Amino acid sequence: AAAKASASAVAARKAAQLKSRAVTAARVRANELGQIPVLMYHRVVDKPGTQDDRTPQQFRTELERLAKEGYVPVTAAEYVTGRIDIPAGKHPVVLTFDDSSPSQLTLDGMGVPKPGTAVAILQDVARRNPGFRPVATMYVTRDMFGKATPEEGTEMLTWLRDKGFDIGNHTRDHKNLRGRPQDQVTAEIAAGHKLITDLVPSKPVTLALPYGNQPSTKSWGLKGASGGVSYDYGGVFLAGYTPAESPFSKKFDPLGIPRIRSMDKTGDCAKFCSTAWLDWLQAHPDERYTSDGDVNTVAFPKFKSPFALKRFGDRILAY
């Protein structure tokens, strides 16, 4: 009888906790099946040379907008593995940087990011906006932030890892993988993987395809082996043009996750770059990912249940 009473009390507590979480989820209009902006940056320089470049002020303005509108940065690794640990009512954003440019990160002799670099600006915006995490995913190549020696490369990657940044594979030589045979595709990806693991004791979790071009068989980007090096990633990122699906949604495709190029509403970017998409998400708040504040649950309105992946069934909180 005592055992039954104890079990009954435990069940009652769990039911009460679940009800409390559902109340919180409903209050903040949680929708963890919603869309997530994955923003793509390259160089951050005073005089942009390509359509992919942003000035320091443009980059700062975009980060300040994200903070104002309730976005919290998460890494690509956190995103694809579903470890999106942000406060209730907030929205995840994934900041990604391609090509490991010195304009993204240059350290002084004391290990402080140089003013005007992307990381320095990100840290400053985070200081001014408590709760805005200064983290991002750096997709590196052999250029390694302009450093020439393995020791310097290790220094840069170690600093990033220790600060909570995510280091992703962008291949070693940034070759276009479209149309290449499998052995060449896997060799280039494996070389990029080895480039990172030779410098720091942590394996990349995601790959960003050079130029956003997928190999003829998409799965080659997700899993493969070459030269004694194997890789098995949680997601492969493209170069455009829409917000990405929730990792808990049936629409999520780890073989080709879209990213959004950072740019104002001009030309082709009038509809398909960051300013336009952030405007759209702001105008359609029920379409974007909104957290319930509990990393262990996946909360959303009950009518959206058909879109949830079954493998997350033990975490689902439909209200």
Side-chain angles (χ1 to χ4, degrees):
K4 287 184 179 180
S6 177
S8 178
V10 170
R13 282 197 299 271
K14 287 184 177 179
Q17 290 173 350
L18 198 62
K19 184 177 180 180
S20 175
R21 291 172 183 169
V23 169
T24 298
R27 177 174 54 80
V28 300
R29 300 175 69 87
N31 177 18
E32 296 183 335
L33 296 181
Q35 298 178 67
I36 299 172
V38 181
L39 303 185
M40 179 182 69
Y41 301 97
H42 287 77
R43 298 192 307 163
V44 176
V45 291
D46 290 326
K47 296 181 179 180
T50 74
Q51 62 180 1
D52 289 327
D53 294 342
R54 300 258 75 187
T55 68
Q57 186 55 53
Q58 287 171 331
F59 179 58
R60 179 182 293 275
T61 297
E62 186 153 83
L63 292 183
E64 289 173 343
R65 173 183 182 172
L66 291 169
K68 180 181 178 181
E69 294 182 3
Y71 288 94
V72 177
V74 300
T75 67
E78 290 169 335
Y79 160 55
V80 300
T81 57
R83 301 301 297 176
I84 302 176
D85 191 3
I86 62 176
K90 297 293 186 178
H91 321 291
V93 60
V94 185
L95 309 175
T96 67
F97 295 84
D98 288 7
D99 305 343
S100 47
S101 159
S103 72
Q104 297 165 6
L105 178 63
T106 297
L107 301 174
D108 67 15
M110 298 303 293
V112 177
K114 181 180 176 181
T117 58
V119 171
I121 295 168
L122 174 57
Q123 288 186 327
D124 186 56
V125 171
R127 280 191 293 268
R128 296 168 186 267
N129 296 272
F132 191 79
R133 299 173 69 212
V135 299
T137 296
M138 317 301 281
Y139 285 111
V140 302
T141 63
R142 70 190 311 167
D143 293 335
M144 203 61 70
F145 306 102
K147 301 301 182 182
T149 68
E151 292 78 10
E152 290 174 312
T154 298
E155 178 184 57
M156 302 298 280
L157 296 192
T158 299
W159 187 96
L160 287 165
R161 186 193 61 184
D162 290 348
K163 297 296 183 182
F165 284 72
D166 176 28
I167 301 162
N169 188 357
H170 199 35
T171 75
R172 183 185 62 191
D173 301 310
H174 203 273
K175 293 178 180 177
N176 188 344
L177 302 182
R178 179 178 290 167
R180 293 179 180 270
Q182 183 177 10
D183 61 338
Q184 291 183 21
V185 170
T186 54
E188 185 61 21
I189 297 172
H193 188 93
K194 186 175 187 296
L195 175 73
I196 296 167
T197 56
D198 278 355
L199 299 178
V200 290
S202 51
K203 296 179 180 180
V205 177
T206 63
L207 167 75
L209 294 164
Y211 312 105
N213 290 336
Q214 294 177 299
S216 55
T217 298
K218 296 177 183 179
S219 60
W220 295 346
L222 200 67
K223 189 174 183 177
S226 179
V229 177
S230 61
Y231 58 90
D232 187 359
Y233 294 142
V236 176
F237 287 83
L238 307 175
Y241 282 102
T242 66
E245 299 295 341
S246 163
F248 310 120
S249 170
K250 289 180 178 178
K251 298 178 183 179
F252 177 71
D253 178 11
L255 296 177
I257 303 170
R259 293 190 288 170
I260 302 168
R261 180 155 60 93
S262 175
M263 185 58 65
D264 303 325
K265 284 184 172 181
T266 58
D268 292 342
C269 281
K271 292 185 178 180
F272 296 113
C273 294
S274 60
T275 299
W277 277 119
L278 290 175
D279 285 351
W280 187 87
L281 289 167
Q282 187 178 34
H284 300 82
D286 291 342
E287 295 295 327
R288 67 183 170 185
Y289 186 113
T290 299
S291 174
D292 72 335
D294 187 342
V295 71
N296 296 311
T297 57
V298 180
F300 49 82
K302 284 183 180 179
F303 80 97
K304 293 182 179 289
S305 295
F307 292 100
L309 284 169
K310 290 183 179 179
R311 65 190 178 92
F312 294 105
D314 61 337
R315 294 171 58 184
I316 286 176
L317 179 62
Y319 63 89

